[in-house]
Amino acid sequence: MAGWGDIDYEAWDSFATRVEAALESGRVSDSVLGDLRRALVEWRATFAEAKDGSSVRIEALRAQLKVLGDAPADSAEDLPGTAAQRVALETELDALLTPVVRAGLAHTRAETLVNMLDQSLRSRQVKDVNQRGPSPFAFGAWLPALEAFNRTFRLAWSAAISSWSNATQRATLVAELPLTLPLGLVGLVLLLFGWRTVRRIGERMRDGKSPPVRGAWGFVISALQVWVPSFGALLLGAAVANAFVLDSRGEQMVSAFVGIVVVQFIARWLGNRVFGIPGASWRVLDLPAARVRFGHAMAALLGVLIGLQILLDDLGRIDAYSDATLAVLDFPLIVVSSAVLWRLGRLMRRYRGDGAAVAEEEDRPTSFYNSTVRVLGALLTLVAIAAPLAAALGYRNLAVFALFPSIYTLALIAVVMILHHFIIDIFALVARRERAEATQSLVPVLISVGVAIATMPLLPLIWGYRVSDLTEFWDKVWSGITLGEAVITPTTVLTVAVVFGIGYAATRLVQGMLGSTILPKTGMEQGGQVALTSGVGYVGIFLAAVAAVTAAGINLSSLAIVAGALSVGIGFGLQTIVSNFVSGVILLVERPIGKGDWIEVGTTMGTVKDISVRSTTIETFDRTDVIVPNSDLISGIVTNYTRGNLLGRVIVPVGVAYGTDTRWVAKVLYEIAEAHPLVTVNPAPKVVFQGFGADSLDFEVRVILRDVNFMLDVRTELNHEIARRFADEGIEIPFAQRDIWLRNPEALNGAGAPVGQSGAQPASSAAEGGAEARRRVEPEDLPETQSHGNGLEEDTDD
């Protein structure tokens, strides 16, 4: 293909016209359409390169013309030198844009033709899958199908034997025998004994090792168990090819033999790794011993069936089997493969883990992994039922399309899970951890997720997509998406992520240095240090974001319209979040509260534990964290007990008995308050005689504390000291006064008491010194018959 500087547009027009004619006719084969598509992709790449040619010079010319400005309406007003320079620049720009525009038009045409070819190929594939063919139960087609199959092998055998009848060919083959016989012998030995020999060697190497070592060595040895016999089959196939002169059928049969052997041993490897072997800790499915042997057998049988299906497809393509012949020959393979798949699906549907496959009706909790296995089992069961039914009705292509890709998908999932267990073993060895601990680690999971993502392109290939479809999809992804005038590509995203990550890490480093090294030495209060550190963090993150976008080459002005549209949505949908964010910024700048402050917001009282841009965490005195939105702190009433200073007032109420010298009481209380070390001298403590209460003379001790955080401790100590001094001074602290009147005093003396003694009278009288003589009336003093009638009535002054 010519470079973009000397593109043959006449050849391109001719080729494009031929492609359009092929699409319009609809009679071109898939292989021809594939060849046309590959040529179109090459043309498209050439036009894409030409379309971007001279882009630097074009941008420079446009910038120069922008400086000169548009030509004035009156040419006389334009300077002669400026006009000539403008004309020269415009002429050069037109000369550069002409091939660019032509290449752009050709690129658009090539892109359109590629899309139309892809659509045509996909339509044909869907039509072939859904097309109904002959039924396998058309008994008249059985004998012709068997005869065609027998004829293929007979012709291949005849061609191989006839090579020894020709003297020239026989001489050549005899000359090759010194190489052929050793190849065949070595290949046969490796094929027959390689699997078991490698397995015995692996068991000896794993004996006595830790579980991670056993798992890692087990994976390596199991891979050798596939490679050694497969290599033997390859050598044996080469020996057969050297021993005979084969036709296309024979060559295909030898290749199919090697493929069947490789697929068979891969299937056995998958069975061993998925279902495990005795003493293995790396099995994917934890099943009882009987189910393990069953799983091994089903995996090996699937390998044989897949190999036979591949052989049948190749032979049918070589000898051009009819649809009726393929329907008859494929039907037994479809039925047997479906039966095996159904048994595996049934085993997976009943899977519960922990070494047991129990009935579904048991009510036991299942993990996500177990649930996923059961869902896969249900899907396999549906495919196993639908495939033979579709084949029986004549939809052979649909049955093959649904059945065998499902098996390949199951094998791919099994490979990913096997690699996950191998990664766990390697991580346990490198990190020197137990396997159970490594299983719970995040690193193996992240690596396994990366492996799973890397294998995802295999899924569309399994289900009929072509490699060209994947490359086309990747080209579209790599070309990026357009937002306004900005183009976002994977490279752009990666650049933004890397630059922002570096800026974020640098910001956290500066924050840590400020918070732990620099600010503590400045004498700044704790709240100010936190506010400054948080502010540096927000500014650093903002600068990191701007630097990342700039480094990626994104023009922020081109995103102005998109940002304006998003701002409307943010204004309505994120109004509360934005309000809290702005309130958080205000809190960090104005600092009405700080970390460690004792505040009260509404009904919440506690110590400020953390201030973020969205909310503030308050730790209550019950040691519970309360998350308060920052907007409540800005718009609501907040009481800060420790902002600015730690001074605070404590009021201690005290009551003394009537008849006590009030000035003496005030003097004692003042001495108690003045003697406490946390009570300030200025302002001095005060003792207030509040008034005459119902039961006592009421006083209050009002003191200012140096540290209000010790309010409860000071209150307790003052109460203890008041109780001690009052006892020493003989000051009585009264209790509540109560007068109890009995409406039926005869109840205390029994039912036969004289009626004259039943008048209402007080149960107690006043004693000297203001004290009351009291008699406690117990419930058992009252007659049982009056327990629900008019009993005692309490007359209180409260």
Side-chain angles (χ1 to χ4, degrees):
M1 190 67 62
W4 65 268
D6 52 352
I7 299 176
D8 188 354
Y9 283 98
E10 293 183 359
W12 157 246
D13 289 335
S14 175
F15 175 75
T17 303
R18 185 158 59 92
V19 173
E20 291 169 351
L23 287 172
E24 291 175 357
S25 66
R27 294 188 298 269
V28 182
S29 64
D30 291 351
S31 60
V32 174
L33 289 181
D35 295 337
L36 293 176
R37 188 190 185 282
R38 283 188 288 272
L40 275 174
V41 169
E42 294 180 2
W43 278 107
R44 185 180 61 180
T46 302
F47 295 141
E49 184 181 358
K51 187 175 63 172
D52 297 332
S54 303
S55 58
V56 176
R57 181 56 183 164
I58 290 174
E59 291 298 326
L61 290 173
R62 287 174 174 171
Q64 289 176 292
L65 288 172
K66 186 177 181 180
V67 172
L68 293 177
D70 297 332
D74 188 1
S75 59
E77 298 179 0
D78 201 1
L79 297 176
T82 303
Q85 191 174 10
R86 182 184 297 108
V87 171
L89 292 176
E90 290 176 348
T91 303
E92 184 180 358
L93 180 61
D94 291 340
L96 291 175
L97 286 177
T98 299
V100 171
V101 172
R102 189 174 185 183
L105 294 175
H107 180 272
T108 301
R109 186 180 183 185
E111 180 74 19
T112 303
L113 291 177
V114 168
N115 293 334
M116 295 178 66
L117 278 174
D118 290 339
Q119 184 178 0
S120 177
L121 290 171
R122 284 192 292 268
S123 299
R124 290 186 179 189
Q125 185 179 14
V126 173
K127 183 179 179 181
D128 292 341
V129 170
N130 295 327
Q131 185 176 8
R132 184 177 182 181
S135 171
F137 296 107
F139 301 110
W142 286 16
L143 288 178
L146 295 176
E147 177 61 27
F149 190 67
N150 184 37
R151 178 176 174 273
T152 298
F153 280 91
R154 190 171 61 251
L155 291 176
W157 177 253
S158 299
I161 294 300
S162 64
S163 62
W164 284 88
S165 302
N166 187 295
T168 304
Q169 292 180 349
R170 183 170 62 250
T172 302
L173 294 175
V174 170
E176 295 288 338
L177 284 180
L179 176 62
T180 302
L181 292 179
L183 280 178
L185 182 61
V186 173
L188 187 63
V189 171
L190 293 178
L191 179 61
L192 297 178
F193 305 104
W195 175 277
R196 294 182 179 86
T197 303
V198 174
R199 182 173 181 175
R200 294 192 190 98
I201 295 174
E203 290 176 353
R204 292 182 187 143
M205 296 180 66
R206 296 194 305 265
D207 189 21
K209 301 296 191 302
S210 62
V213 176
R214 288 176 57 85
W217 273 114
F219 181 86
V220 175
I221 297 301
S222 64
L224 290 177
Q225 283 182 290
V226 176
W227 184 84
V228 170
S230 299
F231 183 68
L234 184 63
L235 294 180
L236 189 59
V240 173
N242 278 344
F244 302 95
V245 177
L246 303 176
D247 61 356
S248 59
R249 300 180 185 84
E251 292 176 353
Q252 189 61 46
M253 289 181 182
V254 172
S255 300
F257 164 76
V258 177
I260 290 174
V261 171
V262 173
V263 170
Q264 167 66 20
F265 282 103
I266 290 177
R268 293 181 64 181
W269 176 75
L270 288 174
N272 285 349
R273 302 302 299 183
V274 171
F275 300 103
I277 59 177
S281 59
W282 33 254
R283 63 182 66 184
V284 176
L285 298 180
D286 194 6
L287 298 172
R291 300 298 174 89
V292 168
R293 290 190 295 270
F294 171 78
H296 289 168
M298 293 297 101
L301 183 56
L302 273 181
V304 174
L305 294 172
I306 290 173
L308 292 176
Q309 196 271 337
I310 294 174
L311 173 63
L312 183 60
D313 281 354
D314 292 339
L315 295 180
R317 187 166 48 254
I318 292 174
D319 276 354
Y321 287 166
S322 64
D323 292 339
T325 299
L326 290 175
V328 172
L329 296 179
D330 266 338
F331 188 69
L333 289 177
I334 292 173
V335 171
V336 178
S337 300
S338 298
V340 175
L341 196 64
W342 182 82
R343 295 297 300 273
L344 284 176
R346 182 171 178 268
L347 178 65
M348 295 171 65
R349 282 189 298 110
R350 296 162 57 91
Y351 179 74
R352 296 283 183 169
D354 300 331
V358 298
E360 289 188 28
E361 56 270 12
E362 290 189 15
D363 187 14
R364 295 179 54 185
T366 57
S367 65
F368 173 77
Y369 179 78
N370 294 349
S371 300
T372 304
V373 172
R374 295 174 64 189
V375 170
L376 287 177
L379 294 177
L380 293 179
T381 303
L382 292 177
V383 172
I385 295 174
L389 290 177
L393 295 175
Y395 294 96
R396 183 192 70 86
N397 292 335
L398 179 60
V400 172
F401 176 78
L403 180 62
F404 292 100
S406 298
I407 298 174
Y408 300 149
T409 302
L410 182 63
L412 180 62
I413 295 174
V415 170
V416 172
M417 294 305 303
I418 290 169
L419 292 176
H420 172 62
H421 284 269
F422 177 66
I423 291 169
I424 290 175
D425 291 326
I426 295 298
F427 178 77
L429 286 176
V430 174
R432 297 181 180 180
R433 299 182 182 179
E434 295 294 332
R435 194 179 194 280
E437 184 181 359
T439 304
Q440 303 300 323
S441 179
L442 180 62
V443 175
V445 174
L446 294 179
I447 298 176
S448 298
V449 169
V451 172
I453 294 175
T455 58
M456 285 183 64
L458 297 177
L459 282 177
L461 295 178
I462 289 174
W463 288 94
Y465 283 85
R466 303 182 308 276
V467 176
S468 59
D469 295 330
L470 298 183
T471 55
E472 189 72 19
F473 174 76
W474 177 249
D475 289 340
K476 291 181 179 180
V477 171
W478 195 255
S479 61
I481 59 176
T482 302
L483 295 176
E485 297 180 0
V487 179
I488 309 299
T489 65
T491 303
T492 303
V493 175
L494 182 61
T495 303
V496 169
V498 171
V499 175
F500 182 78
I502 295 174
Y504 182 81
T507 300
R508 293 305 183 195
L509 180 63
V510 173
Q511 280 185 296
M513 183 172 59
L514 286 174
S516 61
T517 306
I518 299 177
L519 295 180
K521 298 178 180 179
T522 61
M524 185 183 300
E525 62 177 348
Q526 183 66 25
Q529 296 181 24
V530 174
L532 182 58
T533 304
S534 300
V536 170
Y538 299 138
V539 172
I541 292 175
F542 174 76
L543 294 178
V546 173
V549 173
T550 305
I554 300 176
N555 186 3
L556 296 178
S557 61
S558 62
L559 300 178
I561 298 177
V562 178
L566 290 177
S567 63
V568 176
I570 292 174
F572 287 100
L574 303 179
Q575 181 177 1
T576 304
I577 296 177
V578 173
S579 174
N580 289 327
F581 177 82
V582 174
S583 300
V585 174
I586 294 174
L587 289 176
L588 293 175
V589 174
E590 294 185 356
R591 292 175 11 193
I593 62 173
K595 187 176 181 181
D597 287 355
W598 175 11
I599 66 173
E600 181 178 2
V601 184
T603 60
T604 303
M605 177 184 291
T607 304
V608 177
K609 187 176 181 180
D610 183 49
I611 302 176
S612 64
V613 292
R614 190 192 67 84
S615 61
T616 297
T617 303
I618 299 176
E619 183 180 18
T620 66
F621 299 115
D622 296 330
R623 293 298 184 266
T624 58
D625 289 344
V626 178
I627 309 299
V628 179
N630 287 333
S631 58
D632 292 350
L633 299 176
I634 295 298
S635 60
I637 298 176
V638 180
T639 303
N640 195 331
Y641 293 97
T642 57
R643 187 62 178 173
N645 57 70
L646 298 178
L647 296 178
R649 189 176 70 169
V650 174
I651 299 176
V652 180
V654 181
V656 299
Y658 276 93
T660 309
D661 187 354
T662 57
R663 296 195 178 276
W664 178 35
V665 173
K667 179 176 179 298
V668 172
L669 292 176
Y670 184 82
E671 292 175 355
I672 294 173
E674 194 178 36
H676 197 283
L678 287 179
V679 175
T680 61
V681 177
N682 185 20
K686 290 184 178 298
V687 177
V688 180
F689 182 17
Q690 286 289 92
F692 303 92
D695 304 304
S696 63
L697 302 173
D698 297 332
F699 290 81
E700 281 186 357
V701 181
R702 300 184 178 185
V703 297
I704 302 298
L705 304 183
R706 292 187 177 90
D707 192 343
V708 73
N709 292 308
F710 296 95
M711 176 185 293
L712 293 179
D713 294 336
V714 172
R715 187 190 300 274
T716 300
E717 292 172 0
L718 289 177
N719 283 329
H720 282 303
E721 187 63 19
I722 289 171
R724 186 187 68 81
R725 286 291 303 275
F726 277 16
D728 294 342
E729 301 292 342
I731 300 174
E732 181 182 357
I733 300 177
F735 41 80
Q737 304 291 320
R738 297 292 185 269
D739 290 333
I740 299 178
W741 293 80
L742 300 177
R743 290 185 177 180
N744 49 350
E746 69 278 1
L748 299 178
N749 299 324
V755 179
Q757 299 178 2
S758 61
Q761 60 181 0
S764 60
S765 59
E768 294 182 1
E772 295 286 337
R774 297 168 180 82
R775 175 174 182 266
R776 181 177 179 84
V777 181
E778 301 294 342
E780 56 268 16
D781 293 337
L782 300 178
E784 185 177 353
T785 57
Q786 298 183 358
S787 59
H788 299 287
N790 292 328
L792 298 177
E793 181 179 281
E794 182 179 7
D795 183 13
T796 177
D797 295 332
D798 291 343

